[in-house]
């Protein structure tokens, strides 16, 4: 295992956890503004329709993907600045 991988592993793990927390908070805020509801629908909620549930899932997935990619890219840049090489 090379130096970049050893440095990146803990950064990636911490970043992944942080990304999940940030993405969840961002989704709650976006959903509150967009839908006017403080709670996003759960897939098993019998009072919500398919369109609302699927839109909520798509928005949540998009937000998580964007936040995760941003955190992963930032972690890779941090490793490069520490070691001089991009992580594998």
């Amino acid at each position: 295992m090379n130096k970049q991988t050893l440095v990146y592993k803990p950064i990636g793990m911490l970043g992944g956890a942080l990304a999940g927390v940030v993405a969840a908070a961002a989704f709650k805020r976006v959903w509150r503004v967009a839908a006017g509801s403080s709670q996003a629908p759960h897939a098993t909620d019998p009072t919500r329709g398919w369109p609302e549930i699927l839109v909520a899932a798509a928005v949540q997935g998009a937000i998580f993907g964007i936040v995760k990619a941003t955190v992963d890219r930032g972690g890779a840049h941090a490793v490069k600045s520490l070691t001089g090489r991009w992580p594998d």
Side-chain angles (χ1 to χ4, degrees), residues 7 9-10 14 16 19 21 28 34 39 51-53 59-60 69 72-73 76-77 80 82 88:
V7 172
K9 286 284 187 188
L14 182 62
V21 171
K28 285 180 184 179
Q39 290 273 339
E52 185 179 13
I53 288 170
V59 170
Q60 186 176 28
D72 285 347
R73 185 74 177 185
H77 275 282
K80 184 176 187 247
L82 289 171
D88 296 333

